[in-house]
Amino acid sequence: MSADRATTAPRQAALIADHVTNDVADHVADPVAEHVDDPVDGYVADLTAALHGPARTKARMITEIRDGLADTVAAYADDGVPREQAAHLAVREFGTVEELVPSCQQELTIAQAQHTARAVALTVPFLIACWYPIWATGRGGAGQLAHGSDLLTAALVGVSAAAALLAVATLAATGALARRLPTPRRLPLAVAWTGTTASVAMALSALTLATASPLGTNWPLAVLAGVLTAASHGLVAASARACRRCARLPARPPYAQECPASR
């Protein structure tokens, strides 16, 4: 019996040592596990996943909220509250994610509307400046090119005028004027569909230029304008699509909690 115990004891000790070593290795290999239960990290992650809008504006908002939480945690810690409890108190003071999302999302939706309006207002006039030489030189060439250029110019002048007016109205309603008057609730949706209309017009214009360029005398310029138009279409269409997504999100209800990033 003593011999069996003498051989069994080392084996048990080796198994226990391996088990402890594996636990330590798993803990060291996954340093993120230390922060899984951190209420601040979880709060910021949930808020980041719930918000939609321009990447830079959203990142700046999340950074401000994280910094605010860190300052609140530090204030509680200075009063002698343990770190974990201080983090829970800070999160509770900021409010739940569900309470913050409507007000924060409203700011991101307005920012996305500004981004889309600015993209349309800057892109469409630039493209018209590129199209005008083609239209002017094409009028003396093939009849198909002249007719297509006339239709193209007429359509894009209308889109440009509407986009410019809406861009000015959007920047005014969401800029200095917003300090005195509330932003119209339907404005982001109107900007989104105006951007969509402009992007469709750009796509049709690029197709028209690509089709009519072989008939014109200045076809290299027409091809270049078509490429610029297609690229601009992609830019405006992506911004308008993001604006439509933001505009469909629930609006901020009355007396909703204010976003900490705007305090």
Side-chain angles (χ1 to χ4, degrees):
M1 294 294 293
S2 59
D4 293 339
R5 290 179 181 178
T7 56
T8 303
R11 293 178 183 177
Q12 292 178 343
L15 291 174
I16 294 174
D18 290 341
H19 181 71
V20 172
T21 302
N22 290 335
D23 286 346
V24 173
D26 292 340
H27 183 72
V28 173
D30 188 12
V32 181
E34 298 180 359
H35 303 285
V36 170
D37 296 331
D38 190 330
V40 172
D41 289 343
Y43 186 89
V44 172
D46 292 342
L47 190 61
T48 302
L51 295 176
H52 304 280
R56 291 183 180 180
T57 305
K58 177 180 173 180
R60 182 168 59 250
M61 177 181 290
I62 294 298
T63 299
E64 292 179 5
I65 292 175
R66 182 189 290 275
D67 292 343
L69 283 168
D71 292 340
T72 305
V73 171
Y76 279 117
D78 291 341
D79 292 337
V81 179
R83 171 65 175 75
E84 184 176 355
Q85 185 178 355
H88 283 286
L89 291 174
V91 169
R92 184 182 304 174
E93 182 176 326
F94 268 61
T96 64
V97 172
E98 291 76 13
E99 292 172 342
L100 256 64
V101 164
S103 57
C104 293
Q105 182 57 58
Q106 184 181 33
E107 294 189 16
L108 288 175
T109 300
I110 293 174
Q112 183 62 57
Q114 291 176 325
H115 184 276
T116 302
R118 192 176 297 112
V120 173
L122 294 177
T123 302
V124 175
F126 168 74
L127 291 177
I128 290 182
C130 295
W131 291 324
Y132 180 77
I134 304 171
W135 172 75
T137 56
R139 293 184 65 86
Q144 295 91 336
L145 180 59
H147 182 64
S149 298
D150 288 341
L151 294 178
L152 174 64
T153 302
L156 291 177
V157 165
V159 171
S160 176
L165 290 175
L166 183 59
V168 172
T170 299
L171 295 176
T174 58
L177 188 61
R179 300 175 183 176
R180 300 181 180 181
L181 299 175
T183 301
R185 188 168 63 90
R186 297 286 183 179
L187 181 60
L189 187 61
V191 173
W193 283 110
T194 299
T196 301
T197 303
S199 68
V200 171
M202 291 176 188
L204 295 176
S205 302
L207 180 62
T208 302
L209 289 170
T211 304
S213 60
L215 304 176
T217 58
N218 199 2
W219 65 266
L221 184 60
V223 171
L224 177 59
V227 172
L228 291 175
T229 303
S232 299
H233 158 74
L235 175 65
V236 174
S239 183
R241 183 165 54 251
C243 194
R244 290 199 308 271
R245 181 183 184 183
C246 291
R248 286 195 298 263
L249 295 175
R252 177 185 177 184
Y255 309 110
Q257 184 167 344
E258 184 181 1
C259 181
S262 61
R263 293 174 183 174

